[in-house]
Amino acid sequence: MTVLSDPLELPCGVVLPNRLVRAAMTESIADRRHDPSERHDRLYREAAAGGPGLVITGNVMVDRAHLERARNVVVDGETDPAALQRWAAAASGVPTIVQLSHPGRQETRYVNPHPVGPSTGPAVALGGAYARPRALAAYEIAELQRRFVDAGVRLVGAGFAGVEVHAAHGYLLSSFLDPATNRRTDAHGGSLENRARFLLGIVTTMRRALPPHAAVVVKLDARDDDELVTLGRWLQDAGVDLLEVSGGNYEAPAMVGLDASGAELAGEHESPFWNSAAALAGAVDVPVVLTGGFRTRAEVDRALDAGVCAAVGVGRPLAVRPDLAGRFVRGETDDLDRPAPRLGGPAPVRKLLGAAVGAGWHRIQLARTADGRGPLLGLPALAAGVDYSVGDWTRSLVERPGRMRRAARERAARH
Ligand SMILES: Cc1cc2nc3c(=O)[nH]c(=O)nc-3n(C[C@H](O)[C@H](O)[C@H](O)COP(=O)(O)O)c2cc1C
């Protein structure tokens, strides 16, 4: 029987001191050059000191022309290696891995009015903030593949325990896997083998490029269980150390427990991805992390005991109280409480702002920890949602010219 306080050794040899994984949460606190700042150092020192078995950072971008939001960290040829080393050292209390991503079509027009994806159009249908993506050319896919691997090498070289490739939540790699957004007719579209070519290329090359002791982790969507199992087996053969299961995208944010109308998902289990994780865990030998929705000890114990997953991923509760991880693992509390506000109002408002309110409220709590302050539990829901959307769009627009100049310089240096 597996219990939460059991250590977990990954195939690469990294040992997680327990089975509670602090899930990736975007911070949006990089400096103006998109380097990690002292705020990252403090946030991740606190996250590690909180006592989870593994920490996954918020998404870090591999191409500074394309961000998930303003002030994401970018890791490329322009990144200050000393800043990465400081960050890795600050986070070294428990194994910490950096999540690497490219936003794909889920990039606002304020970040970049020319988003890219597997196929041309349609734009993300949320408040007019997104433009129609254009299809990436094959040479651009190859170039992005190199960027992911290159970023992984820089991060492990700086001292991180490994990287997580973000192939979930509707971002670029997820949208290549999903036939609803990937309508290509070349070697990257059609069969699952073709749709997975981009991701598998990254993982295979990453595994070869990184030292054997570095962890290579992939976050996947619970979209189609048969495809998830097949993909999981291929990724296992490609040498991954851990597979994380989540799901949803901007238009249907299941990862934060909401459906396409902004209503709360209801189900038999706290996690909406329980059955998919169980299917995957039953089919692969590499450990599976199930992330999303866990709030009670009974449900966490059930998942570990039944072999639904080898570890549980927890996000929002730890954004508010990083020390909750250790207290939960040690049995000092049975609740991963989530003192987050809910957004009322008419359905169109909930659809537009529901996920932004939840994520925005928690992002501000992360930023407070990064500034050495405690949580602000009275933070109004609407203010957080507006900061996460309109506030982010404004920051993205103001900072775009400088960022694009740096992106062009970095591109020129590459070629
Ligand atoms: C503020 C915030 C930021 C997030 N950023 C990311 C991210 O950068 N990468 C990612 O894979 N998931 C991200 N997520 C999703 C979480 O990793 C996790 O899947 C989700 O919060 C569900 O877990 P929970 O119910 O324990 O919070 C974010 C969630 C929140 C609330």
Side-chain angles (χ1 to χ4, degrees):
M1 188 182 136
T2 304
V3 295
L4 190 61
S5 56
D6 286 347
L8 174 66
E9 182 173 355
L10 305 184
C12 63
V14 167
V15 178
L16 281 49
N18 62 64
R19 308 290 178 119
L20 195 150
V21 174
R22 185 274 194 196
M25 285 179 284
T26 193
E27 315 89 3
S28 196
I29 55 171
D31 67 17
R32 287 186 82 97
R33 299 171 44 94
H34 297 272
D35 281 343
S37 66
E38 284 167 17
R39 301 174 80 194
H40 287 87
D41 300 352
R42 193 177 295 113
L43 176 61
Y44 285 92
R45 197 177 296 117
E46 291 288 322
L54 178 73
V55 172
I56 308 177
T57 70
N59 56 185
V60 160
M61 301 296 118
V62 298
D63 182 347
R64 64 184 62 231
H66 300 279
L67 307 181
E68 172 261 340
R69 63 184 44 252
R71 300 291 178 109
N72 283 150
V73 172
V74 178
V75 175
D76 65 7
E78 286 274 304
T79 310
D80 176 11
L84 294 183
Q85 283 163 14
R86 274 196 305 272
W87 186 17
S92 63
V94 297
T96 296
I97 63 175
V98 175
Q99 186 183 67
L100 291 175
S101 189
H102 184 296
R105 67 192 280 271
Q106 295 185 155
E107 163 177 73
T108 66
R109 58 173 78 247
Y110 313 107
V111 168
N112 190 326
H114 306 292
V116 294
S119 307
T120 299
V124 173
L126 267 184
Y130 299 84
R132 274 170 73 80
R134 84 169 161 81
L136 284 168
Y139 80 88
E140 292 175 299
I141 296 173
E143 144 93 18
L144 280 170
Q145 205 161 296
R146 283 193 293 276
R147 282 185 177 274
F148 272 91
V149 176
D150 179 54
V153 169
R154 288 175 199 274
L155 287 160
V156 170
F160 284 99
V163 291
E164 177 176 74
V165 179
H166 195 354
H169 299 170
Y171 296 112
L172 185 65
L173 296 174
S174 160
S175 68
F176 264 80
L177 291 167
D178 188 347
T181 39
N182 181 345
R183 300 181 183 284
R184 298 177 75 97
T185 51
D186 65 358
H188 290 281
S191 65
L192 177 62
E193 192 183 0
N194 281 357
R195 283 179 276 128
R197 194 177 300 283
F198 191 0
L199 171 62
L200 281 165
I202 292 170
V203 171
T204 306
T205 321
M206 185 93 85
R207 184 69 282 171
R208 279 197 224 114
L210 293 184
H213 58 78
V216 178
V217 178
V218 178
K219 188 165 186 169
L220 293 171
D221 290 314
R223 179 178 44 75
D224 176 311
D225 288 356
D226 290 339
E227 293 204 345
L228 180 65
V229 162
T230 306
L231 191 54
R233 290 195 176 121
W234 290 343
L235 288 166
Q236 171 170 290
D237 292 344
V240 297
D241 294 285
L242 195 64
L243 290 167
E244 183 181 8
V245 178
S246 182
N249 53 47
Y250 281 15
E251 287 151 312
M255 69 291 238
V256 286
L258 301 176
D259 69 13
S261 74
E264 301 231 357
L265 292 171
E268 191 191 337
H269 291 286
E270 289 177 352
S271 170
F273 316 118
W274 178 282
N275 293 336
S276 305
L280 179 63
V284 295
D285 296 324
V286 288
V288 169
V289 183
L290 171 54
T291 297
F294 282 108
R295 295 297 176 266
T296 61
R297 176 169 306 280
E299 188 79 341
V300 167
D301 286 351
R302 245 193 310 273
L304 294 175
D305 193 34
V308 166
C309 55
V312 295
V314 177
R316 288 165 289 178
L318 304 185
V320 184
R321 297 191 179 92
D323 67 321
L324 193 55
R327 288 198 283 122
F328 190 76
V329 171
R330 290 190 299 271
E332 293 164 20
T333 171
D334 287 339
D335 288 320
L336 292 166
D337 57 344
R338 173 160 66 99
R342 280 168 212 280
L343 186 70
V349 174
R350 285 205 313 271
K351 177 176 163 53
L352 193 63
L353 276 181
V357 164
W361 194 87
H362 288 90
R363 193 208 68 79
I364 289 178
Q365 309 299 346
L366 293 171
R368 289 182 64 88
T369 304
D371 290 335
R373 298 186 290 178
L376 182 63
L377 300 182
L379 179 67
L382 199 59
V386 168
D387 177 69
Y388 204 68
S389 52
V390 181
D392 173 67
W393 304 344
T394 311
R395 286 188 285 276
S396 298
L397 201 55
V398 168
E399 295 180 3
R400 190 165 85 200
R403 179 170 53 82
M404 287 306 196
R405 274 197 300 278
R406 209 164 273 134
R409 191 166 69 206
E410 201 268 347
R411 273 189 159 64
R414 260 172 197 271
H415 297 301

